[in-house]
Amino acid sequence: MKKQNIFLFMVLFAIVISSCKYNFIVPIEEEVPVDTIPGDQPVSFATRIQPIFTNKCVSCHKSGGTAPNLAAGSSYNQVVPAMVNLSKPEESDIYTFPAPTTSKHSWKKYNSSEANLVLTWIKEGAKNN
């Protein structure tokens, strides 16, 4: 009788444990439109490009991590001129490698508006502004 009670308790316990359900919520990335740049002002590296690096890239690309170091204060010197092609901006590594449609980068990628913003910045001369 005691063995039956233990067995029954274990079966009920297994049923209770297996009935738990977890719903994982994956956050949706919100795209910021590129046309939010006021007037004819150039794209600022410090206020528009570096935040992309900080939010998407610095978790891997920081001092002592994977090259290039994209942390604030050193990212510009790591990216320009090594990863920027001013004569053919669309071929710049900083634009093509983490592009939304690339298969080169397997982790975080730009969304379409971030990619357009980086490309616009390169086309404007990739200035440290």
Side-chain angles (χ1 to χ4, degrees), residues 72-115:
S74 61
S75 60
Y76 184 82
N77 293 329
Q78 295 280 311
V79 170
V80 178
M83 301 183 78
V84 172
N85 183 345
L86 292 175
S87 60
K88 295 180 182 176
E90 294 83 8
E91 295 179 10
S92 296
D93 287 340
I94 197 66
Y95 170 69
T96 60
F97 198 77
T101 58
T102 189
S103 60
K104 296 178 186 178
H105 199 266
S106 59
W107 296 101
K108 294 181 180 178
K109 298 178 183 183
Y110 299 145
N111 60 40
S112 59
S113 64
E114 291 167 337

Side-chain angles (χ1 to χ4, degrees), residues 5-23:
N5 287 343
I6 291 173
F7 179 74
L8 182 60
F9 176 74
M10 290 179 72
V11 169
L12 289 173
F13 183 73
I15 290 172
V16 169
I17 293 295
S18 66
S19 67
C20 294
K21 182 179 177 184
Y22 297 97
N23 292 325

Side-chain angles (χ1 to χ4, degrees), residues 22-45:
Y22 297 97
N23 292 325
F24 296 98
I25 300 172
V26 179
I28 298 173
E29 247 182 65
E30 185 177 319
E31 291 192 24
V32 178
V34 176
D35 58 22
T36 58
I37 303 169
D40 292 325
Q41 294 181 359
V43 176
S44 167
F45 179 80

